[in-house]
Amino acid sequence: MLPFSPQRLAHGLAARIVQAGREVNFSEVSTDSRELRHGGLFVALQGDVPGERYFADALGAGALGLVGRHFDAGLRRQAARVGAWLFQVL
């Protein structure tokens, strides 16, 4: 995957930037918080268990970007502490 700026990523996903983070270009993406690389982008998939459930784990693994539908206040604070971007898709 080529590096994508947060703005380019938001445009390509038709996502709204809910919270801006530190300067980064995303070149790694994962849907599994256990396989996420530091500085990567975590995409929450919707299934039996909503992928947003793993946002905190992804941030703990070093994610600097989260893509999903819902971000509660606690997660927003945690993301702000590490400088992560939050992208909302519908």
Side-chain angles (χ1 to χ4, degrees):
M1 176 174 150
L2 295 173
F4 287 95
S5 70
Q7 294 77 13
R8 185 172 176 199
L9 181 70
H11 178 75
L13 294 174
R16 181 173 76 92
I17 296 173
V18 173
Q19 183 169 298
R22 66 171 115 160
E23 189 172 326
V24 65
N25 283 309
F26 297 106
S27 59
E28 300 287 334
V29 63
S30 181
T31 58
D32 187 334
S33 62
R34 299 166 296 183
E35 296 178 4
L36 190 66
R37 292 186 184 183
H38 183 76
L41 177 73
F42 178 75
V43 178
L45 297 180
Q46 302 304 310
D48 293 336
V49 176
E52 287 89 355
R53 180 177 180 178
Y54 301 101
F55 277 162
D57 294 337
L59 289 173
L64 287 181
L66 303 175
V67 178
R69 294 181 181 177
H70 309 286
F71 305 95
D72 65 37
L75 181 81
R76 288 180 191 215
R77 285 190 298 274
Q78 184 182 2
R81 281 194 298 273
V82 299
W85 291 77
L86 304 179
F87 302 92
Q88 184 179 39
V89 293
L90 299 177

